[in-house]
Amino acid sequence: MRLYLASGDAIGRLDDVDGEWRLGLSLAGSGAQCLAVDPDDPDTVWAGLREGGVRRTRDGGRSWVDCRLPEPGVFSLAVSPADGAVYAGTEPSRLFRSDDGGERWRALDALLALPSRPTWRYPPRPWTSHVRWIAPSPHDADLLLVGIELGGLMRSVDGGRSWQDHRPGAQRDVHSLTWHPRVPGRGYEAAGGGAAFSDDAGSSWQPADEGRDRHYAWSVAVDAEDPDLWYVSASTGPFAAHGGGDPQARIYRKRDGRPWEALAGGLPEPLPAMPYAVLACGGRLFAGLADGQIWESADRGERWRACSVRGDAPGALVALAGAAV
């Protein structure tokens, strides 16, 4: 197992060696705030920088090259498991696609022709918005979901050449999206107003909030075997989540159509920092906290343990991705 994290400043690589995680940092001082790992090659990673575009490594982070994205402010990255296309989302809101690993980029500017675009506003910077999340379907190379913060959940069924505006039933303040890796058409959303899921390939969405006493949801993950077992992190609101004090946050689990349940089982109570990343990977569940801590569960969230990390502590975490090696 290997994990990669973005700290808001650097990229960290964590290798699982005999139950201990060994951490190495790269791209220090770069403003790295998002990342994507090639699903077929754990040594190939793309990093999105706040003001420096996209960087790529093909050797697990030992060296990086500038992919020369036309826009500098990158807020989201994704690699399609279906065809290997790389997507990058920026602020101001634009979406780009590369079919050669980041050598050349094509702007998918049909996204900007949507009727809702004049209403897109990111509250801390209301003169702009950004592409917060990109979710290419693992089953259909032409199916693509994009979350605009703040603007809505958009859908394309032709690889980004045309777009459907905000999907009915979905939350507009999109923070993260994912697909089930084995069940075509099942999608999941975590957003500022709650959580939702789709059974029809993202065409329509159903809210899923019963049992959760916090509705500012941030990260979403789903069990690879069970489409009815999924997780979100949530806080009481944006100031608690991002203000640097008590995040008032919890990690929740939903299974078999039942209401959400808050997870504890060894997690600190209260959590000391916002869980910015919940990741299901390799039969394990990880939670990455804003202060750099990473927690792991081997039994679908019943019991947790802090990951023992050797190396330079990142001090912060904004994104987490995993790969089997």
Side-chain angles (χ1 to χ4, degrees):
M1 174 69 67
R2 182 184 298 166
L3 300 176
Y4 290 94
L5 66 85
S7 72
D9 179 66
I11 294 293
R13 168 179 161 172
L14 297 110
D15 290 287
D16 186 3
V17 180
D18 297 327
E20 181 181 67
W21 293 93
R22 297 183 182 176
L23 172 65
L25 296 178
S26 59
L27 285 184
S30 65
Q33 62 180 4
C34 59
L35 70 161
V37 182
D38 188 328
D40 296 321
D41 179 7
D43 285 331
T44 299
V45 184
W46 291 264
L49 312 186
R50 180 64 183 86
E51 297 179 349
V54 174
R55 300 289 190 272
R56 183 193 65 225
T57 180
R58 295 196 188 278
D59 55 17
R62 286 183 286 274
S63 63
W64 295 84
V65 298
D66 186 349
C67 291
R68 301 185 182 277
L69 190 77
E71 292 279 357
V74 182
F75 276 69
S76 53
L77 288 165
V79 183
S80 171
D83 65 359
V86 182
Y87 294 91
T90 67
E91 178 181 299
S93 289
R94 292 187 74 189
L95 183 65
F96 297 87
R97 172 177 172 144
S98 174
D99 292 302
D100 55 10
E103 296 294 329
R104 294 176 296 247
W105 299 91
R106 174 164 51 95
L108 303 179
D109 282 344
L111 180 69
L112 306 183
L114 287 171
S116 68
R117 186 198 174 192
T119 69
W120 298 357
R121 297 285 188 274
Y122 178 55
R125 297 185 292 278
W127 58 88
T128 190
S129 65
H130 50 252
V131 178
R132 165 60 67 184
W133 205 268
I134 309 163
S137 167
H139 309 286
D140 179 352
D142 287 330
L143 179 58
L144 183 65
L145 301 176
V146 160
I148 304 294
E149 189 177 36
L150 174 85
L153 196 165
M154 317 308 178
R155 178 178 184 254
S156 175
V157 295
D158 56 13
R161 290 184 291 274
S162 65
W163 292 87
Q164 300 166 355
D165 214 328
H166 178 65
R167 297 290 78 212
Q171 290 284 337
R172 287 188 179 272
D173 187 13
V174 183
H175 291 148
S176 59
L177 300 161
T178 194
W179 296 100
H180 195 272
R182 298 190 178 184
V183 180
R186 181 70 74 91
Y188 310 82
E189 177 192 20
F197 69 96
S198 173
D199 283 321
D200 58 7
S203 180
S204 64
W205 295 75
Q206 302 176 52
D209 294 312
E210 183 185 0
R212 213 178 55 251
D213 59 352
R214 286 148 170 79
H215 298 292
Y216 186 80
W218 190 261
S219 183
V220 63
V222 63
D223 186 272
E225 303 295 330
D226 184 354
D228 293 320
L229 174 57
W230 51 303
Y231 309 86
V232 297
S233 62
S235 178
T236 55
F239 181 77
H242 312 305
D246 179 5
Q248 301 176 44
R250 291 176 175 170
I251 300 170
Y252 295 86
R253 176 178 63 194
K254 185 174 179 60
R255 53 183 173 181
D256 302 327
R258 296 185 297 218
W260 292 95
E261 55 184 325
L263 299 178
L267 286 171
E269 181 60 41
L271 288 172
M274 183 67 188
Y276 276 147
V278 181
L279 173 69
C281 183
R284 297 149 80 176
L285 184 64
F286 298 92
L289 308 190
D291 63 0
Q293 294 185 55
I294 301 175
W295 289 74
E296 175 186 354
S297 172
D299 54 9
R300 294 175 166 85
E302 289 293 326
R303 292 164 297 186
W304 294 80
R305 67 177 183 90
C307 292
S308 174
V309 177
R310 178 193 296 181
D312 297 328
L317 183 150
V318 294
L320 188 66
V325 294

